[in-house]
Structures are given as structure tokens and as C-alpha cells.
Amino acid sequence: MQLESMPNSPENQSKLNWIITGFFIAIHCLALLAPWCFSWSALGVMLLLHWFLGSIGICLGYHRLLSHRSFQVPKWLEYTIALIGASALQGGPIFWTAGHRLHHAYTEDEIKDPYSARKGFWWSHLLWMIYPRPEFFNKELYNRFAPDLARDPFYCWLDRYSLLMQIPLVVVLYLLGGWPFIVYGVFVRIVLLWHSTWLINSVTHMWGYKTFPTSDNSRNLWWAAIFTYGEGWHNNHHAYPNVAKAGWRWWELDMTWWAIWVLKTVGLAKKVVMPPTPKANQG
């Protein structure tokens, strides 16, 4: 599909979507209830879900498995991991995968990259979603950029109803711990995981070091890697996007890779794409 040129300012790219904006504002406001609902168990639930939905659902599932096919797992496990990713409230698997593949195909292009860092921190972090362009948000259009998923009835269903994945999570959390578990396990977790994921679109194209001379401005940023379970080694990833391991040097911690390694060790992950041997020994 040919992407047409449009003016660069968000206001001219597309109109402000008040539904998406209001939704983001509402979730952030509900997260502000946290001080009145604090308990150590609620905080623990938030941290557990931040890891489980973020590292396993988004980083391992949506990103390394579905977007890049860095490894293979049995279909039942792939679907299960995709359900976990959908529960993170970052969109359906086809939407997420299509946008990310476009980002890699046209990295930092101000027209074709949905969250081009060249348009500034706030655009790549957030504004691209509240000033949505149809080719990135209209299902009939973005399906073209993830045809392998768009052909699968399960992924079509999950892409359409991903928002509903919050309902069973809310019910379980309420039964386990009442409103404090909902405030921390849903609203606080959503906000923190949103911004953790968005950091990869924004800060890792601004700050950090480059191990590989990529044509884009992707960077390796240690503190972003901590918040995103290894995704912050972004220059490594852009240099070799299909490699399952983001942290290559011994000190580049990559918790998501640890989970892939476990799956590989027990025989559930196959065809795991590893770094080229000479590069893997750097540092």
C-alpha cells in the first residue's frame, strides 16, 4: 500500500480523536486513586501483572513472536501468549504487529513510520495515537501490513475484542482483593505499562549508545531496558530485528530473553533466531 505524504504537524496529520484522548485521560485519573487504595499486596499484584502482561504478553508475544517471528511455539501456546498480550490493553495483535512492522520498514520516516522519532519526543511517545491516521488505525488498511495474522480467524477475533480482555481480569482481581487490587492491578498497571512501552518509541531513538552503525537513530539505553524487560537495547534490535535476544553483551540484561530461553530449554520454543556468532561475543 502506498502511503501518501501529509503535513508534519499533528493537527494537520489528522484531527484530534477525543474518544482516545478521553480514554487515556480517564485511565490516568483512575490511577491517581492509588494513594487511597494502597496495600503491599495490591502493589505486589501490580508488579506481577506489569511483568506478566508486559514482558510475556507484549515483549515476548506481540513483539518478538508475532511481529518478528524470532522463534516458534506450538499454536496453542502462541494463541495463549497473544491473549496475554491483548490483556495488556495496548490494542489487538494485528494492529500492534502491523504498526511495529511499519516502524521497522520505514524507521523514522515522518510519513510512513507511525511513531517516527524525528517528529519529536511527544509525537513518538503519545501524540501519534491521539492524532490517528487511518492507514495505521483503520482495520481494513492496517490488516495489509500483517497479512499472516489477518488470515487467522482467532487473531481477527482477538483484534476486534481485545478491549474485553479486561473484564475477566477485573472480576478476578476484585474477588481476590477488592478495589485496591483493581486500582493497582488494572489502572496503575495500565498507565505504567503504557509509558514503559512508549519509552521504546521515544527515548531509545534519542539517548543511549550505538553498538551497530544503523541508518536510524536507534540507541541502547540501560534504564529503558530495565523498565521494558530488555527492549531498551534498541540499537541491537534495529540492527538485527529478527533476533530473539535483545541484550547481546553479558551486562545487557534481557528478562524477556530469559523467558524465551526457558521455553527453548523445555522444548516449547523452536527455530530461535540467535545473534550472529562474531557479534554475540562483543563486550
Side-chain angles (χ1 to χ4, degrees):
M1 175 182 177
Q2 184 68 32
L3 301 182
E4 297 180 357
S5 297
M6 298 178 68
N8 289 334
S9 67
E11 293 80 2
N12 290 330
Q13 288 262 345
S14 184
K15 293 181 179 180
L16 177 69
N17 186 305
W18 286 105
I19 295 176
I20 297 175
T21 302
F23 179 70
F24 283 165
I25 292 173
I27 296 295
H28 281 77
C29 288
L30 288 167
L32 294 177
L33 296 171
W36 292 273
C37 299
F38 177 80
S39 72
W40 289 108
S41 57
L43 179 62
V45 165
M46 186 277 291
L47 293 173
L48 178 63
L49 287 175
H50 188 282
W51 164 77
F52 186 62
L53 302 181
S55 181
I56 304 302
I58 297 298
C59 303
L60 184 151
Y62 272 19
H63 186 206
R64 305 190 198 187
L65 177 59
L66 297 184
S67 296
H68 294 292
R69 297 298 183 184
S70 300
F71 60 99
Q72 295 179 6
V73 295
K75 189 59 72 173
W76 66 265
L77 181 56
E78 179 180 311
Y79 286 166
T80 300
I81 294 171
L83 280 169
I84 297 169
S87 301
L89 200 62
Q90 294 191 12
I94 304 176
F95 163 77
W96 203 103
T97 296
H100 191 72
R101 288 177 179 174
L102 274 170
H103 169 67
H104 276 273
Y106 305 105
T107 305
E108 296 175 358
D109 184 283
E110 294 187 14
I111 303 301
K112 299 178 181 180
D113 182 349
Y115 29 88
S116 172
R118 290 184 184 175
K119 298 174 72 173
F121 172 87
W122 285 112
W123 178 264
S124 57
H125 194 76
L126 172 62
L127 292 181
W128 71 277
M129 289 178 284
I130 65 176
Y131 289 97
R133 286 175 55 186
E135 59 264 44
F136 305 138
F137 285 83
N138 182 290
K139 181 178 176 62
E140 299 303 318
L141 297 178
Y142 69 68
N143 274 359
R144 304 179 189 184
F145 304 115
D148 52 329
L149 301 186
R151 289 191 296 265
D152 190 313
F154 173 79
Y155 285 123
C156 291
W157 173 84
L158 188 58
D159 202 68
R160 183 174 182 179
Y161 296 109
S162 61
L163 184 62
L164 299 182
M165 296 299 104
Q166 298 305 301
I167 295 176
L169 182 60
V170 166
V171 171
V172 170
L173 288 174
Y174 182 77
L175 293 176
L176 290 176
W179 289 109
F181 273 32
I182 291 179
V183 170
Y184 276 84
V186 178
F187 302 120
V188 175
R189 179 265 306 169
I190 287 173
V191 169
L192 292 180
L193 189 53
W194 275 348
H195 288 282
S196 298
T197 303
W198 300 344
L199 284 174
I200 304 305
N201 301 338
S202 54
V203 299
T204 60
H205 283 265
M206 298 176 64
W207 304 311
Y209 63 90
K210 299 190 73 165
T211 300
F212 300 100
T214 55
S215 59
D216 55 68
N217 199 41
S218 58
R219 305 279 173 156
N220 292 326
L221 189 60
W222 67 269
W223 58 265
I226 292 174
F227 288 121
T228 58
Y229 308 101
E231 301 292 78
W233 310 118
H234 205 50
N235 176 248
N236 297 348
H237 176 59
H238 268 267
Y240 294 90
N242 294 328
V243 168
K245 188 176 183 181
W248 289 26
R249 292 168 170 164
W250 67 268
W251 45 266
E252 292 177 340
L253 299 181
D254 183 359
M255 289 183 65
T256 301
W257 163 248
W258 299 347
I260 296 172
W261 179 86
V262 170
L263 291 175
K264 179 181 178 182
T265 301
V266 300
L268 288 174
K270 306 287 187 180
K271 299 183 178 179
V272 180
V273 182
M274 297 298 292
T277 302
K279 300 294 183 181
N281 295 326
Q282 286 189 18

